[in-house]
Amino acid sequence: MTPAFGSQNRRNYNAQCGHLSLRMCKLARAHSMPWRLLTGYQLCRLCLFRKPQPALKINSSSACVTYGTDSQSNKENKKTVERLRACSVDLRKIRRLKGWVLLEKETYVEEIANILKELGANKTVIASILERCPEAIVCSPAAVNTKRKLWQMVCKNQAEVIQLIEQFPESFFTVKDQENQKLNVQFFQELGLKNVVISRFLTTASSIFHNPVENNKQMIGALQESYLNLGGSEANAKVWLLKLLSQNPFIVLNSPTAVGEILKFLQGQGFTDSEVLQLLSKLKGFLFQLQPGSIQNSISFTKTAFECTEHDLRQLVMKCPALLYYPAPVLEERIQALLKEGISIAQVRESPMVLELTPQIIQYRIRKLNSLGYRIKDGHLASLNGTKKEFEANFSKMQAKQGRPLFNPVASLKVEE
């Protein structure tokens, strides 16, 4: 008989099997199993009587699928799996990232692999592309061939095409708006952008090619007109525009209305046409992504934080255009971080470019300068400014200068005879 569960027995049971719940013991009793005689192995086997957890449901629209049980693999397209294996593709990566493609009834594994092979890709490269961008196998071969011709319009040869596909497979296998993409490529070529720049746009700023070509043309026209209205010369208009596009291709996604609103707002703040043009160039067109309200908040905060006049404020902004771009909370956080390091408001006002750096970068650079005995709070903040490359170059110069001897050890000594 199964012994009763008295208080003493329960304490003994919990001491011996603390890792199991009381529910397990009741389950043992239900199966007429003496609980005193159960070993750890038998107790663990009781888990078999528990209701199994259901497998995860698969949503074909999800970008990432996790398989709970092997039963899901039974729903996979066997031909797709076999063809991917023949291409030496690691199916585990696909199941982890985008397993829904293996459930698709119609796929084009061999056809896509052949297109990549025709471009010069070897088996290893093909496998890598399909592992990182498995949705490629659900693209129709006709659409992929059209995309290949589009990329060949701006690439020197097939080797360059396959190199770009290997680096940016998602951009290549986004095959919607093919005709519109082609029209945009032709428009940018006619505008004077070099093919190497356009190919960079295709991989890192592909959304501008999905924008209707007429919208892009209107935005380019608005930028040219604004440049001339602000005093820019006709001779430099094209060079200025192409440089602006190269720095920030996403500028074409804005509207001509937004351009007019921002320029009008800045002029209303007292900035001259020449200064507005400088701000537009220095901020690389990101100015148009802002709203007049957010710029006003940043200006108001800066004026209060530095206790400056309208004229002084404009001078600060011309030195550091990012004062318009960063929201007031970001500027406040950065000023507070500088004050904690012992830097004064007067120093920041003298070198406002330091506000382009995050608090973490500031702390890192101050520590490095301190290691040379340079106390930033007693000097000029210019040594903190610049890109990472520029700062490291300046730091190396300071380090080398500090290590120089006070006299030339090989020079002859002048001794009186």
Side-chain angles (χ1 to χ4, degrees), residues 19-190:
H19 66 288
L20 295 175
S21 66
L22 184 58
R23 188 171 57 183
M24 287 292 190
C25 300
K26 292 180 180 180
L27 189 59
R29 293 179 62 192
H31 288 80
S32 300
M33 298 172 67
W35 68 275
R36 290 180 185 274
L37 300 178
L38 288 176
T39 64
Y41 170 75
Q42 290 169 325
L43 284 168
C44 293
R45 290 194 64 189
L46 290 177
C47 298
L48 298 175
F49 295 107
R50 302 174 69 182
K51 185 177 179 180
Q53 296 295 324
L56 294 177
K57 294 181 179 181
I58 291 186
N59 183 357
S60 60
S61 63
S62 175
C64 182
V65 178
T66 302
Y67 286 80
T69 66
D70 292 337
S71 62
Q72 296 295 351
S73 61
N74 295 330
K75 300 179 182 179
E76 294 177 351
N77 186 324
K78 301 301 181 184
K79 290 184 178 179
T80 299
V81 171
E82 292 172 1
R83 289 168 181 169
L84 286 171
R85 280 178 179 155
C87 293
S88 301
V89 173
D90 188 344
L91 291 170
R92 293 172 300 179
K93 293 182 179 180
I94 294 182
R95 290 190 179 109
R96 186 171 62 251
L97 297 175
K98 297 178 181 178
W100 62 267
V101 300
L102 300 178
L103 307 179
E104 295 293 313
K105 293 182 179 179
E106 189 173 13
T107 58
Y108 308 95
V109 179
E110 293 177 341
E111 292 85 349
I112 300 302
N114 286 334
I115 291 175
L116 295 174
K117 187 176 181 180
E118 289 172 5
L119 287 169
N122 58 35
K123 194 171 184 178
T124 302
V125 171
I126 293 173
S128 174
I129 291 172
L130 295 182
E131 286 170 359
R132 290 183 293 118
C133 185
E135 61 268 33
I137 66 174
V138 299
C139 298
S140 72
V144 174
N145 273 317
T146 301
K147 192 63 173 283
R148 176 175 68 172
K149 293 177 183 178
L150 176 69
W151 281 32
Q152 286 176 326
M153 289 174 60
V154 295
C155 292
K156 298 177 182 178
N157 48 48
Q158 291 187 348
E160 187 175 329
V161 174
I162 196 62
Q163 184 179 10
L164 289 177
I165 296 174
E166 188 178 4
Q167 293 176 338
F168 307 96
E170 292 83 2
S171 297
F172 181 75
F173 288 107
T174 301
V175 292
K176 62 180 181 179
D177 303 327
Q178 298 271 42
E179 185 60 28
N180 192 56
Q181 289 186 53
K182 181 180 179 180
L183 292 174
N184 272 312
V185 168
Q186 292 172 341
F187 167 63
F188 288 129
Q189 287 177 328
E190 293 169 0

